[in-house]
Amino acid sequence: MGLVPVVLLVAVAAGLFWLVDKGFSRRILHVVGIAVGQLALLGCCVWGLLLIDRWWAYVLWLLLLAVACALLCLKAVRLLRWRLLPATALAMLAGIGLTSGCLILCLPKAAFVPVTGVLAAHLLLSGSRSLQTFISCLRHTEAHRLFLLASGASELESLMPCIRRTLRAAVLPLLGQLSSPVVVAMPLLFCGLILGGSSVAAAILCTLLFWSAAFVASVLTAMIMMWVLWRDKKTLAEVIQADTL
């Protein structure tokens, strides 16, 4: 019975929107259809993982998630180069795998999929910003870096301005979430735990754990990404010279 008023309100709002703007209404239906399809596909994947319940299935899910995040990250910064995919995927895999593995130690095993999903969604934004910042900083500070090297600075010291800016860019999305008033913008994880029947104290503790894991994953992913990219200097030089961010 409680679904009836919600369905009626949605129908009324959609009908009014259709009468006012039919063109944009078709776009809304298209986006909603894609979202429902993705949710159904995710539900099938989660159902399959819980049904198999083997360690190799969870590892395979983690690998696929890391590769998908790496592809989306490169696409977001318009750097869809296959030679950059291993470095980005490795950084994503380390960031998601290590932090989610630590969280699962204090959470039930069934929470592995939502835990990795939340961290992947955060790293998708954090990773794209850190990658864009690192390459842009290298491009615009090349003369300054060469001057520092000629003055006797080590390679790490010459890269420190770029590393500093990249780490700032990596944690800024999380800081933006934390700085918003939680009274009017409650975290989805907190709301989901409350709706799932958890106590308020457990919901607060899990939210704090996820915020801590997101911070560690952001820093870890950015550091590994910079390290792997810098080792492949040939590919990095081609990206800096050819691509436009």
Side-chain angles (χ1 to χ4, degrees):
M1 294 297 295
L3 291 177
V4 175
V6 176
V7 173
L8 290 176
L9 290 174
V10 171
V12 170
L16 291 174
F17 210 106
W18 180 267
L19 292 175
V20 174
D21 193 347
K22 293 183 180 180
F24 197 76
S25 298
R26 295 189 183 93
R27 183 179 178 183
I28 293 177
L29 291 176
H30 177 70
V31 173
V32 170
I34 294 177
V36 172
Q38 291 178 352
L39 188 60
L41 179 62
L42 177 62
C44 293
C45 293
V46 175
W47 177 79
L49 285 174
L50 296 179
L51 183 64
I52 297 173
D53 196 19
R54 294 291 188 274
W55 66 268
W56 58 265
Y58 293 105
V59 172
L60 180 61
W61 165 261
L62 184 60
L63 291 174
L64 293 176
L65 190 63
V67 173
C69 286
L71 286 172
L72 292 174
C73 179
L74 293 175
K75 184 179 179 181
V77 296
R78 292 177 291 178
L79 282 173
L80 194 53
R81 284 173 169 256
W82 292 111
R83 284 185 293 178
L84 290 178
L85 180 60
T88 311
L90 178 62
M92 293 289 180
L93 179 62
I96 299 174
L98 292 177
T99 51
S100 62
C102 293
L103 285 177
I104 291 301
L105 295 177
C106 52
L107 293 174
K109 187 170 58 175
F112 181 79
V113 174
V115 165
T116 54
V118 171
L119 291 176
H122 172 74
L123 287 182
L124 184 58
L125 180 59
S126 173
S128 60
R129 290 192 177 184
S130 59
L131 179 61
Q132 184 177 20
T133 302
F134 181 63
I135 296 179
S136 298
C137 185
L138 285 178
R139 177 178 299 167
H140 293 99
T141 61
E142 180 67 14
H144 181 256
R145 194 178 67 82
L146 294 176
F147 172 76
L148 292 177
L149 290 175
S151 301
S154 63
E155 194 173 50
L156 180 59
E157 292 174 342
S158 67
L159 285 174
M160 193 56 64
C162 295
I163 295 175
R164 188 180 300 112
R165 293 179 185 177
T166 302
L167 290 179
R168 289 176 182 175
V171 300
L172 277 178
L174 178 61
L175 294 180
Q177 297 177 11
L178 296 179
S179 61
S180 61
V182 294
V183 177
V184 296
M186 290 187 181
L188 293 177
L189 176 64
F190 179 82
C191 297
L193 290 170
I194 294 295
L195 292 175
S198 299
S199 63
V200 177
I204 293 175
L205 179 60
C206 288
T207 304
L208 292 176
L209 285 175
F210 268 85
W211 281 344
S212 302
F215 175 76
V216 174
S218 300
V219 176
L220 183 63
T221 301
M223 293 297 295
I224 294 177
M225 189 181 301
M226 287 187 289
W227 179 72
V228 177
L229 287 175
W230 184 251
R231 285 178 61 87
D232 191 3
K233 296 182 180 180
K234 182 179 179 180
T235 303
L236 185 59
E238 293 178 359
V239 172
I240 293 174
Q241 295 175 2
D243 290 334
T244 302
L245 294 178

